[in-house]
Amino acid sequence: MNTTQIKIGKSEIVNIDKLNPSDINRAIDENHVRRFTHKLNQFGWLDAIKVDNQYNILEGHHRYYAAKKMGLEEVPVYKVWWYDNLTEMERLAVILQYNASNLKWTNEDYLEKYSLLDQSYAKAFVKYNKYKSNLSTGTILNLYLTGSIKSFRNGESIYRSGEMSDMLAANLSTLVDKYTKKKAQAYCLREIVKVCQASKSILATKYILKRYEDMLENNHAKLTSISDFRPHINDVLSEYLVVSND
């Protein structure tokens, strides 16, 4: 027999002004608020707003704003009492777990919200805002944050400081400006970032960037396929290593 004790929260009806919406939740989608307004009018409260022991909203921000829009004075809450006096990072972790599967969080959402709490993400968010018009989010994350996508979404990535990341970002952004995103495609840029970072060499990076621009200038056939481009750009690094040792 399973004797594990599962915590159970407390259901309450409270004044809506008692609730504290979170600044670290993702941006509110007004269309989603309107949909909840319609659902509340049609079906009533099928799902309570989840709060911690201090009535900070953990899940249900859109329902909260729908209720505010409707002028409701009282709302049902499910108080997760064991979440007591959480730090902002702890509360963000709970919010992410509750919400990410309900209304899909993008990498941009994770980056923005973690940037409020963590210096590595804050620095990377500044770079994202600088380069987002030309570089994909994936490319920017590879440039400036360490670790896998899982570690990134868990708030565990570390900022990559140093000349190489900034040089790559500036040069790749310039190439996109010059040749357009259609030709300088995101998957090629991500592969260039990976190969250059693996080389740990500024000189190798400059060589690779020059060869990549030659490819763009001459409409190289390998630009159109990631399966062709990946080994080719690795060959370019190998070529540099041979030339530099002569």
Side-chain angles (χ1 to χ4, degrees):
M1 180 178 178
N2 188 352
T3 59
T4 302
Q5 295 296 311
I6 304 298
K7 297 183 180 71
I8 299 176
K10 298 177 180 178
S11 295
E12 299 178 4
I13 306 295
V14 300
N15 189 289
I16 195 168
D17 292 334
K18 193 171 185 176
L19 305 188
N20 306 307
S22 176
D23 291 334
I24 56 177
N25 189 58
R26 64 172 287 164
I28 296 300
D29 183 335
E30 289 300 327
N31 289 327
H32 207 47
V33 172
R34 283 193 289 272
R35 285 194 290 271
F36 268 114
T37 301
H38 174 73
K39 288 180 181 179
L40 286 173
N41 274 318
Q42 187 173 8
F43 303 112
W45 285 97
L46 299 179
D47 196 11
I49 297 169
K50 280 78 171 179
V51 299
D52 66 12
N53 207 37
Q54 284 69 47
Y55 296 92
N56 297 305
I57 299 176
L58 302 174
E59 189 276 333
H61 280 84
H62 287 89
R63 292 194 295 283
Y64 166 81
Y65 283 108
K68 291 284 283 186
K69 188 174 182 179
M70 296 167 67
L72 301 182
E73 294 184 359
E74 292 186 324
V75 295
V77 300
Y78 181 78
K79 185 162 71 172
V80 189
W81 51 267
W82 57 94
Y83 287 144
D84 190 30
N85 292 311
L86 298 179
T87 65
E88 283 195 315
M89 183 61 85
E90 289 170 337
R91 186 148 43 93
L92 176 59
V94 176
I95 288 172
L96 290 175
Q97 289 299 315
Y98 263 131
N99 288 278
S101 61
N102 295 335
L103 185 60
K104 187 173 176 62
W105 283 54
T106 64
N107 286 335
E108 293 84 355
D109 292 324
Y110 284 97
L111 180 59
E112 180 181 0
K113 296 313 171 184
Y114 277 129
S115 74
L116 300 174
L117 307 173
D118 182 270
Q119 280 300 305
S120 283
Y121 285 76
K123 291 176 182 178
F125 191 54
V126 170
K127 300 297 185 180
Y128 166 76
N129 283 317
K130 181 176 181 178
Y131 292 112
K132 65 181 179 182
S133 61
N134 283 344
L135 304 182
S136 71
T137 304
T139 299
I140 296 170
L141 294 182
N142 286 339
L143 279 166
Y144 288 106
L145 288 174
T146 63
S148 65
I149 193 66
K150 181 179 180 181
S151 62
F152 162 71
R153 291 190 169 196
N154 285 337
E156 299 166 353
S157 293
I158 304 299
Y159 184 73
R160 295 182 194 271
S161 58
E163 181 182 356
M164 182 178 291
S165 292
D166 284 337
M167 184 181 74
L168 277 168
N171 279 272
L172 293 176
S173 182
T174 298
L175 291 174
V176 172
D177 264 337
K178 184 175 180 180
Y179 295 100
T180 76
K181 289 182 180 179
K182 185 175 182 180
K183 185 177 284 188
Q185 296 199 42
Y187 62 76
C188 292
L189 305 189
R190 286 194 295 271
E191 288 303 314
I192 289 170
V193 170
K194 291 177 184 177
V195 171
C196 291
Q197 287 174 339
S199 77
K200 299 179 180 179
S201 166
I202 294 295
L203 291 177
T205 296
K206 291 179 178 179
Y207 185 87
I208 291 168
L209 287 169
K210 178 63 173 66
R211 290 296 306 276
Y212 178 57
E213 183 168 13
D214 290 342
M215 293 177 73
L216 292 168
E217 184 68 31
N218 294 290
N219 295 312
H220 199 291
K222 293 186 186 296
L223 290 171
T224 60
S225 168
I226 185 60
S227 60
D228 291 334
F229 184 80
R230 181 180 288 124
H232 178 76
I233 209 67
N234 277 283
D235 288 343
V236 170
L237 174 59
S238 298
E239 176 185 292
Y240 166 79
L241 294 174
V242 171
V243 171
S244 63
N245 286 328
D246 284 346

